[in-house]
Amino acid sequence: MTAPNHLWLPAPTDLTLLPDEINVWRINLDQPEPQLQNLKNTLSSDEIARAERFHFPQHQQRFIAGRGILRSILGRYLSIKASEVQFNYQQRGKPVLAETFAKSGLEFNLSHSQELGLCAVNCQREIGVDLEYIRPVSDLEALAKRFFLAREYEMLRSLPSDQKQQAFFRYWTCKEAYLKATGDGLSQLEQVEIFLTPTEPAKLRISQDWSLFELAPANNYVAAVAVANSGWKLKCWQY
């Protein structure tokens, strides 16, 4: 299922998350300096330390924007200030809400590429999102052979040259969204089977207990959301 660009709407002021909904937020990571400072003021000391470890100022700024806006979004659902949101981190570094907020049932995941970010939110179910900017990959077929299953690799190879790039990144985002939802690492990429064609939406072959949504957040970007269970309604908000 693909959500075209025009579905990214301003979020309502009375934001609610129904039990059968997934909310996906599109985030601009290139924020003006005054807004960036406001966002930085909501971060914890360990988040600021992480930002400062980036060598390039642009990467620092995008990290601050991503984490600050994530806090702002989660704060809206929790009815608290962005600075009051607290995180724990799973074994592979995936942020989750601290135990203090366990009763909310809120699950989320964040991904970013270049100047864009996506944040996916739902209630109670494991969720993962991945976003990729479609860029030239010199050894695309070699990477596909290494990380994809044989059927996926053969499908990619069969495509005309001008379609291979997009198909590669579609496979990649679908696999990584699922692995981020389950908390598994990229070493498992070749164990997650995806069925897709240039004209059909992707499907997860690994399990019937998962839903997979493909998104088109902007030109030259592809993204995917994987979430446990089925019957979800997708809403796409522009932050």
Side-chain angles (χ1 to χ4, degrees), residues 2 6 23-24 26 36 46 77 98-99 104 106 111 117 134 154 163 165 182 189 201 203 212 235-236:
T2 304
H6 66 267
N23 287 185
V24 183
R26 184 172 64 178
L36 202 63
D46 66 292
Y77 291 107
E99 290 295 318
S104 72
L106 208 61
S111 182
I134 299 173
E154 290 303 328
Q163 294 182 24
Q165 227 176 37
T182 60
L189 269 175
K203 297 182 181 69
L212 186 65
K235 289 187 176 177
C236 297

Side-chain angles (χ1 to χ4, degrees), residues 4-207:
N5 292 345
H6 66 267
L7 285 184
W8 299 87
L9 303 171
T13 48
D14 55 339
L15 187 65
T16 56
L17 184 62
L18 299 177
D20 64 346
E21 281 183 357
I22 302 166
N23 287 185
V24 183
W25 294 76
R26 184 172 64 178
I27 299 163
N28 178 9
L29 298 177
D30 288 343
Q31 293 288 325
E33 184 57 39
Q35 176 65 359
L36 202 63
Q37 192 55 52
N38 290 338
L39 291 167
K40 188 175 182 179
N41 291 339
T42 69
L43 301 189
S44 64
S45 56
D46 66 292
E47 287 170 322
I48 292 170
R50 278 186 66 188
E52 289 172 350
R53 286 200 288 271
F54 286 99
H55 178 70
F56 295 105
Q58 185 183 57
H59 295 163
Q60 290 185 13
Q61 292 159 5
R62 287 177 174 174
F63 178 84
I64 290 166
R67 290 307 285 257
I69 291 171
L70 172 65
R71 286 176 161 276
S72 174
I73 289 168
L74 295 175
R76 290 182 66 174
Y77 291 107
L78 298 166
S79 299
I80 59 174
K81 294 177 183 176
S83 57
E84 294 172 345
V85 176
Q86 295 175 349
F87 298 108
N88 287 335
Y89 294 90
Q90 294 180 343
Q91 187 177 1
R92 296 182 185 276
K94 178 183 177 182
V96 294
L97 284 171
E99 290 295 318
T100 317
F101 307 107
K103 284 186 180 178
S104 72
L106 208 61
E107 297 281 348
F108 71 92
N109 196 225
L110 180 70
S111 182
H112 48 82
S113 183
Q114 303 283 56
E115 77 276 8
L116 271 191
L118 288 183
C119 174
V121 185
N122 82 329
C123 280
Q124 307 291 350
R125 299 292 178 178
E126 296 166 299
I127 192 166
V129 62
D130 190 53
L131 168 71
E132 297 288 344
Y133 179 73
I134 299 173
R135 57 199 180 274
V137 179
S138 56
D139 50 354
L140 186 143
E141 285 195 23
L143 283 172
K145 190 170 187 178
R146 179 181 172 191
F147 290 113
F148 295 176
L149 280 82
R151 278 192 287 195
E152 298 167 338
Y153 172 63
E154 290 303 328
M155 202 290 283
L156 189 77
R157 277 191 68 199
S158 72
L159 294 175
S161 297
D162 62 343
Q163 294 182 24
K164 285 181 180 177
Q165 227 176 37
Q166 184 170 34
F168 175 86
F169 283 107
R170 285 178 66 200
Y171 273 126
W172 191 278
T173 55
C174 290
K175 288 169 178 278
E176 190 161 348
Y178 173 77
L179 292 172
K180 288 178 74 178
T182 60
D184 294 323
L186 289 180
S187 61
Q188 306 294 312
L189 269 175
E190 68 274 22
Q191 297 181 26
V192 182
E193 185 171 7
I194 305 293
F195 173 80
L196 60 79
T197 74
T199 56
E200 293 176 276
K203 297 182 181 69
L204 258 174
R205 277 191 161 147
I206 198 167
S207 171

Side-chain angles (χ1 to χ4, degrees), residues 204-216:
L204 258 174
R205 277 191 161 147
I206 198 167
S207 171
Q208 298 296 315
D209 301 326
W210 286 81
S211 297
L212 186 65
F213 298 88
E214 288 190 274
L215 304 168

